[in-house]
């Protein structure tokens, strides 16, 4: 019925062509009606509607089951967790007023804030928290996220404002996990099948907003929740339109039909700055994204079990070139698997510099002493030749091309193979049938990365698919899970990161910025963005009455 | 006639089972399943829970067993529920004990796709017939050349590119048409005529874009059909009788030249429910093309099978209808069938 390959090819060209088209078409719409000065400052006020666009539509609004980013984006405005991350990415109470860890570090006690209510006016108590925990650990609940919560051996509610969980062993990522579990109302869900309940299309939560209307395929609108547990937000209504195509989103932004979207580097640093009318109405922000891109080696395949080969490839790749070429400079190099600027990042580490001579001498030390007439390095008469596998992602494909060229310069023969995601995972990652992959990992807020790097996590379907195995790292990862003291934990993960960098099982390529553009009518946004990104205080954003759209403010 | 119809309908059943079996096998040839989606590639999602999901969806069973389970449900016309979209019913709405209605995915996506396809098919025929006729009667002269050039440009121009350019021109530079979506935000507050106008303006570009590429085929079809017919003896006879050129062309020639169009329209029926991924993505239209494409990427097997089954049933029906219509329109065929 369809032509996915063609589509892929077309979507690749689309960004380029659109940007060309926009640059060539110099004329633009005359300012309609009153030409408001959006740079003027106004005092904070309540009301107004913020319209944004998302590529995907949530499949349902029970985040533990829906799982996709679109669902969590909407649900995070509707539901609360016990804890949350503040602007500097430190844990803070959300429903919990305070929490305490027992001296043996095995029990955590949460005290809820007083007078919490659901949007329908019913009280929110520790029984709801207990109910949610039971749901997420229930074997019939179709969620992939239960494992953290199954470690709880006992959950109790001594009184309606207290929730107490005990673990068999101290489990440091526990606090992070309680920041990730959104609490659901027992009185509306009791006795229902969580997988099929219609609650997923008409959720009742406790956060700033409640669901106003959901038009399938078109939009979701949220309206201010008068019973919000976190106080009232300033903006009355949030509308998310579902627009799958980023170019169409950008056109809607240009036409002033949406207030915010995430730009790509070309739009951010080429199109918007070149047009005065856009600069007048759009504010650009830059926040550190939530993932990094890497080149990973299959450590079970020769010659990638040889640290010299891995380091040589690391030295041969120019990371700054990737950042400049792929991200137009809108990214940062990384040298540990954590968000730069947070406490878990080891400040003493720096990426492998670009040093082709060192790369060649390391390759020679690894036995690649010969050269064939095309200039490729030879060991026992054979080239080092492999496929770089990656999925259909424009930035990853472009990175692969630059990596391929740098490897060719030192005499390594790399091919690029691009695949659709599910085939990539099913056919190559799960079976371990790959040499080198170009992929990304999320920069998690909790430093625990046991699932990615511990040598026990190598079975098919697990996440240490590159086969990394270092006893010292195993030990550190185990210790890190048991240590709840942040300072001691930090030392553990700093050592972990430095061993990881030295071992070079992956080459860190870059961490790109998130590039939101928001209409200047929206005020109260922190610029520059704090570590948590601009969204942390979205409840404090406001749209002054003179700048509101008139057609929807009725 | 009735016997013939019953026979044709009866043979559709084994044919459908065969088609569904092949579709099912091909679908499973692609590596990966719902638990390999990009969202589940998250270290917080453990392999044990993913294995549990596979068991819940019977994905751990042999393919032929899975097909048997699917067929067993299909016999009761139960299309099942989606893996990826939170257990939404695939085909039609369901009602729970408290009377909450949950709409089916195809039920939601089909009307808009049908509307766009019917409109663009109408546009194609409306434009292609006159173009084809003019082309034929001015064969190899400038009008014919110009029309052929125009329809080929329309056919060759990348739809997504033209769509974006038109969206920019009519939506950003000028405030003539909405850019994407199918309704304005304040649609519900409009009068009935306002709502109709709102929907029509939203559909204008998508219908135009999806019609443009079909124009070339149909208009050339009409042109060649006309050329064939115009060289027949009975046209010479009509001319010899002294009939006016208009009567010859439109009464005698065109009606015969339209015959093959019936076959094409019959074959277009299944196409009516298949939307274009490109157009639907660009214009943010929640139609069948995008539903199917997303289902394939997510390995959402019940949705893929649901759409394929309905599509193949409609293809078979479309063939049947085309044959019947042919028999109705052409006495020579009628005698062969009945």
């Amino acid at each position: 019925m369809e032509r996915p390959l063609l589509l892929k090819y077309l979507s690749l060209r689309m960004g380029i062509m659109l940007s060309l088209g926009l640059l060539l078409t110099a004329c633009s719409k005359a300012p309609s009606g009153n030409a408001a000065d959006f740079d003027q400052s106004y005092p904070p006020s309540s009301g107004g509607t913020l319209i944004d666009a998302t590529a995907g539509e949530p499949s349902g609004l029970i985040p533990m089951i829906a799982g996709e980013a679109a669902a969590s984006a909407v649900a995070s405005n509707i539901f609360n967790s016990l804890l949350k991350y503040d602007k500097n990415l430190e844990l803070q109470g959300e429903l919990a007023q305070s929490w305490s860890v027992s001296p043996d570090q095995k029990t955590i006690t949460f005290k809820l804030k007083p007078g919490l209510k659901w949007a329908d006016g019913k009280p929110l108590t520790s029984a709801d928290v207990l109910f949610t925990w039971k749901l997420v650990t229930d074997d019939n609940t179709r969620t992939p996220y239960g494992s953290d919560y199954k470690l709880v051996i006992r959950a109790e509610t001594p009184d309606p404002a207290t929730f107490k969980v005990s673990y068999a062993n101290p489990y440091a990522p526990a606090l992070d996990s309680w920041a990730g579990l959104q609490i659901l109302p027992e009185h509306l869900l009791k006795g229902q099948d969580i997988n099929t309940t219609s609650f997923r299309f008409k959720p009742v939560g406790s956060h700033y907003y409640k669901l106003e209307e959901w038009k399938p395929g078109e939009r979701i609108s949220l309206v201010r929740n008068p019973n919000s547990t976190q106080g009232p937000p300033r903006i009355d209504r949030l509308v998310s339109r579902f627009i799958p195509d980023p170019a169409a989103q950008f056109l809607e932004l240009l036409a002033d039909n949406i207030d915010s979207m995430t730009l790509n580097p070309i739009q951010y640093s080429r199109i918007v700055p070149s047009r005065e009318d856009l600069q007048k109405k759009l504010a650009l922000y830059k926040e550190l994204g939530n993932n990094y891109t890497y080149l990973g080696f299959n450590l079970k395949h020769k010659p990638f079990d040889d640290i010299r080969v891995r380091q040589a490839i690391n030295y041969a790749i120019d990371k700054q070139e990737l950042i400049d070429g792929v991200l137009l400079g809108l990214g940062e190099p990384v040298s540990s698997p954590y968000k730069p600027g947070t406490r878990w990042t080891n400040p003493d580490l720096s990426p492998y510099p670009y040093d082709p001579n060192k790369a060649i001498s390391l390759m020679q030390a690894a036995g690649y002493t010969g050269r064939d007439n095309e200039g490729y390095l030879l060991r026992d008469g054979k080239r080092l030749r492999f496929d770089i596998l990656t999925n259909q992602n424009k930035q990853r494909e472009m990175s692969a091309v630059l990596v391929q060229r740098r490897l060719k310069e030192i005499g390594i023969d790399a091919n690029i193979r691009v695949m659709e995601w599910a085939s990539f995972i099913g056919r190559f990652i799960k079976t371990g049938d790959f040499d080198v992959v170009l992929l990304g990992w999320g920069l998690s807020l909790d430093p625990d990365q046991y699932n990615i790097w511990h040598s026990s996590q190598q079975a098919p379907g697990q996440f240490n698919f590159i086969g990394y195995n270092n006893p010292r790292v195993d030990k550190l990862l185990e210790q890190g899970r048991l240590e709840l003291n942040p300072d001691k934990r930090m030392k553990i993960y700093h050592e972990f990161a430095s061993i990881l960098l030295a071992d070079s099982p992956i080459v860190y390529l870059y961490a790109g910025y998130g590039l939101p553009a928001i209409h200047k009518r929206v005020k109260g946004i922190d610029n520059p963005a704090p570590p948590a990104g601009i969204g942390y205080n979205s409840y404090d954003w406001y749209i002054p009455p003179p700048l509101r759209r008139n057609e929807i403010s009725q | 006639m009735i016997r013939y119809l019953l026979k044709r309908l009866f043979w559709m059943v084994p044919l459908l089972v065969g088609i569904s079996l092949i579709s099912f096998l091909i679908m499973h040839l692609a590596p990966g399943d719902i638990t390999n989606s990009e969202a589940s590639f998250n270290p917080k999602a453990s392999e044990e829970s993913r294995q549990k999901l596979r068991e819940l969806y019977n994905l751990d069973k042999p393919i032929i067993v899975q097909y048997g389970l699917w067929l067993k449900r299909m016999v009761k016309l139960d299309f099942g529920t989606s893996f990826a979209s939170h257990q939404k019913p695939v085909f039609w709405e369901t009602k729970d004990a408290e009377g909450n209605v949950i709409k089916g995915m195809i039920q939601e996506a089909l009307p808009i796709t049908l509307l766009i396809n019917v409109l663009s098919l109408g546009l194609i025929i409306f434009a292609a017939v006159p173009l084809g006729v003019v082309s034929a009667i001015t064969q190899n002269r400038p009008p014919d050349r110009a029309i052929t050039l125009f329809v080929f440009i329309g056919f060759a121009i990348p739809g997504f590119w033209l769509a974006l350019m038109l969206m920019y021109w009519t939506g950003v530079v000028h405030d003539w048409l909405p850019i994407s979506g199918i309704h304005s935000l304040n649609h519900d507050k409009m009068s009935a005529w306002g709502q109709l106008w709102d929907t029509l303006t939203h559909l204008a570009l998508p219908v135009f874009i999806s019609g443009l590429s079909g124009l070339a085929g149909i208009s050339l079809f009409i042109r060649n059909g006309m050329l064939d017919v115009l060289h027949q003896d009975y046209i010479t006879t009509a001319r010899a009788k002294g009939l006016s050129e208009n009567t010859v062309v439109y009464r005698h020639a065109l009606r015969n030249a339209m015959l093959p169009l019936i076959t094409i329209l019959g074959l277009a029926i299944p196409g009516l429910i298949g939307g274009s991924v490109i157009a639907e993505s660009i214009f943010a239209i929640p139609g069948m093309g995008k539903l199917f494409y997303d289902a394939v990427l997510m390995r959402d097997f019940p949705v893929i099978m649901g759409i394929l089954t309905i599509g193949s049933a409609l293809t078979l029906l479309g063939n049947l209808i085309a044959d019947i219509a042919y028999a109705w329109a052409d006495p020579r065929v009628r005698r062969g069938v009945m």
Side-chain angles (χ1 to χ4, degrees), chain A residues 1-4 7 10 13-14 17-18 21-22 25 27-29 51 59-62 65-68 138-148 150 176 192 194-198 200-202 213 215-219 239 241-245 247-248 251-252 254-255 257 275 391 396 420-423 425-427 429-430 439 441 451-452 460-463 465 551-552 554, chain B residues 30-33 35-50 52-54 56-57 81 84-89 96 98 100-102 108 158 160-161 163-165 167-169 171-175 178-189 202 273-278 280-286 288-290 292-293 296-299 307-308 311:
Chain A
M1 184 185 299
E2 298 311 335
R3 298 157 292 178
L7 176 75
L10 293 181
R13 324 277 321 217
M14 193 177 317
M17 289 193 154
L18 175 68
L22 292 181
T25 320
C27 56
S28 67
K29 185 160 64 176
I51 307 172
S59 59
L61 289 175
I62 302 178
I65 296 191
E68 72 270 351
D138 189 325
D139 271 338
N140 288 322
T141 304
R142 297 180 183 182
T143 175
Y145 302 114
S147 46
D148 271 351
K150 285 187 176 159
D176 175 72
Q192 303 220 26
I194 188 73
N195 302 307
T196 55
T197 173
S198 60
R200 68 192 190 271
F201 300 120
K202 40 167 209 171
E213 189 190 23
K215 290 225 164 203
E218 295 186 52
R219 63 174 186 268
V239 178
R241 289 181 54 188
F242 313 134
I243 305 177
D245 185 69
L251 291 177
E252 293 279 18
L254 296 187
N257 295 328
R275 291 185 41 168
N391 68 310
R396 289 179 190 166
E420 177 257 353
W421 180 265
S423 308
I425 299 303
R427 165 73 183 82
I429 298 295
K430 271 187 107 168
L439 276 177
W441 275 127
N451 294 338
I452 302 180
Q462 291 186 314
F463 290 106
F465 49 82
E551 73 266 36
I552 319 162
Q554 351 159 326
Chain B
D33 57 42
T35 61
N36 296 133
S37 73
E38 206 152 357
S40 68
F41 200 66
N42 175 343
K44 282 201 180 357
S46 66
E47 175 62 11
E48 297 86 69
S49 5
R50 274 179 280 141
K52 195 185 79 192
L53 281 181
R54 278 194 282 275
L56 277 169
Y57 293 138
T81 56
S85 285
H86 217 313
Q87 315 292 316
K88 261 188 157 180
D96 67 8
E98 286 148 50
N100 293 305
V101 174
I102 291 175
E108 278 175 351
F160 77 92
W161 178 83
L164 286 170
M165 288 300 127
M167 284 157 85
Y168 183 64
W169 178 249
V172 181
V173 178
H174 302 285
D175 200 6
I179 296 172
S180 66
I182 50 175
H183 297 125
S184 298
L185 287 177
N186 52 351
H187 183 81
D188 294 339
K189 299 192 179 84
H202 275 89
I273 72 153
S276 138
V277 178
I278 300 177
E280 287 181 4
S281 298
I282 290 182
F283 291 108
I285 291 167
M288 296 289 286
K290 187 133 187 341
F292 188 71
Y293 183 65
V296 170
L297 289 189
M298 292 296 288
R299 305 288 191 268
I307 295 176
L308 287 180

Side-chain angles (χ1 to χ4, degrees), chain B residues 151-211:
Chain B
V151 296
F152 268 103
I153 288 178
F155 182 68
I157 205 164
F160 77 92
W161 178 83
L162 186 64
L164 286 170
M165 288 300 127
L166 287 176
M167 284 157 85
Y168 183 64
W169 178 249
T170 62
V172 181
V173 178
H174 302 285
D175 200 6
W176 293 336
L177 290 173
I179 296 172
S180 66
I182 50 175
H183 297 125
S184 298
L185 287 177
N186 52 351
H187 183 81
D188 294 339
K189 299 192 179 84
M190 295 175 176
S191 65
W193 286 111
Q195 292 192 349
L196 183 67
W197 180 247
D198 184 50
T199 309
L200 285 179
T201 50
H202 275 89
L203 292 184
L205 280 182
V207 167
F208 176 72
I209 294 289
S210 46

Side-chain angles (χ1 to χ4, degrees), chain B residues 26-334:
Chain B
I26 289 177
M27 178 176 78
H28 278 272
L29 276 182
D33 57 42
I34 178 71
T35 61
N36 296 133
S37 73
E38 206 152 357
S40 68
F41 200 66
N42 175 343
K44 282 201 180 357
S46 66
E47 175 62 11
E48 297 86 69
S49 5
R50 274 179 280 141
Q51 185 56 32
K52 195 185 79 192
L53 281 181
R54 278 194 282 275
E55 283 162 20
L56 277 169
Y57 293 138
N58 292 316
L59 293 171
D60 54 335
K61 304 216 166 52
I63 288 178
I64 202 69
V65 176
Q66 292 185 41
Y67 178 72
L69 290 169
W70 179 82
L71 201 60
K72 211 167 113 189
R73 275 194 288 114
M74 279 311 294
V75 172
K76 293 176 278 175
L77 282 183
D78 175 5
F79 284 77
T81 56
S82 157
F83 293 167
S85 285
H86 217 313
Q87 315 292 316
K88 261 188 157 180
V90 169
F91 183 52
W92 212 253
E93 63 192 26
T94 54
K95 214 170 188 181
D96 67 8
E98 286 148 50
N100 293 305
V101 174
I102 291 175
K103 296 232 173 177
M105 299 173 80
I106 294 178
Q107 180 191 11
E108 278 175 351
L110 193 54
I112 185 67
T113 298
L114 265 180
L115 180 63
I116 290 178
N117 285 336
V118 167
L119 286 177
S120 75
L121 193 64
L123 180 78
I124 290 174
I125 293 172
F126 190 74
V129 171
L131 285 179
V133 170
V134 171
S135 234
I137 53 184
T138 61
Q139 189 192 5
N140 293 340
R141 278 183 282 136
D144 176 33
R145 304 262 189 219
I147 288 171
T148 311
L149 185 71
F150 167 74
V151 296
F152 268 103
I153 288 178
F155 182 68
I157 205 164
F160 77 92
W161 178 83
L162 186 64
L164 286 170
M165 288 300 127
L166 287 176
M167 284 157 85
Y168 183 64
W169 178 249
T170 62
V172 181
V173 178
H174 302 285
D175 200 6
W176 293 336
L177 290 173
I179 296 172
S180 66
I182 50 175
H183 297 125
S184 298
L185 287 177
N186 52 351
H187 183 81
D188 294 339
K189 299 192 179 84
M190 295 175 176
S191 65
W193 286 111
Q195 292 192 349
L196 183 67
W197 180 247
D198 184 50
T199 309
L200 285 179
T201 50
H202 275 89
L203 292 184
L205 280 182
V207 167
F208 176 72
I209 294 289
S210 46
L212 194 62
S213 59
L215 197 58
I218 305 278
S219 68
L220 286 185
F221 214 85
I222 299 278
R223 175 182 181 270
N224 293 346
M226 279 298 281
L227 285 177
D228 267 356
V229 173
L230 284 173
H231 292 110
Q232 298 286 333
D233 291 343
Y234 60 84
I235 297 295
T236 317
T237 311
R239 286 212 174 97
K241 282 198 296 186
L243 296 179
S244 74
E245 187 62 19
N246 272 345
T247 318
V248 172
V249 170
Y250 291 103
R251 240 186 105 76
H252 293 258
L254 181 60
R255 284 167 69 170
N256 285 298
M258 296 276 276
L259 272 180
L261 198 62
I262 294 175
T263 318
I264 295 195
L265 291 183
L267 291 177
I269 289 179
L272 287 181
I273 72 153
S276 138
V277 178
I278 300 177
E280 287 181 4
S281 298
I282 290 182
F283 291 108
I285 291 167
M288 296 289 286
K290 187 133 187 341
L291 181 66
F292 188 71
Y293 183 65
D294 287 346
V296 170
L297 289 189
M298 292 296 288
R299 305 288 191 268
D300 195 346
F301 295 151
V303 178
I304 301 177
M305 283 310 291
I307 295 176
L308 287 180
T309 309
I310 293 174
S312 40
L314 280 180
T315 309
L316 296 179
L317 267 180
N319 277 339
L320 181 60
I321 292 173
D323 286 352
I324 294 171
Y326 224 82
W328 164 78
D330 188 340
R332 291 167 300 178
V333 180
R334 200 178 316 159

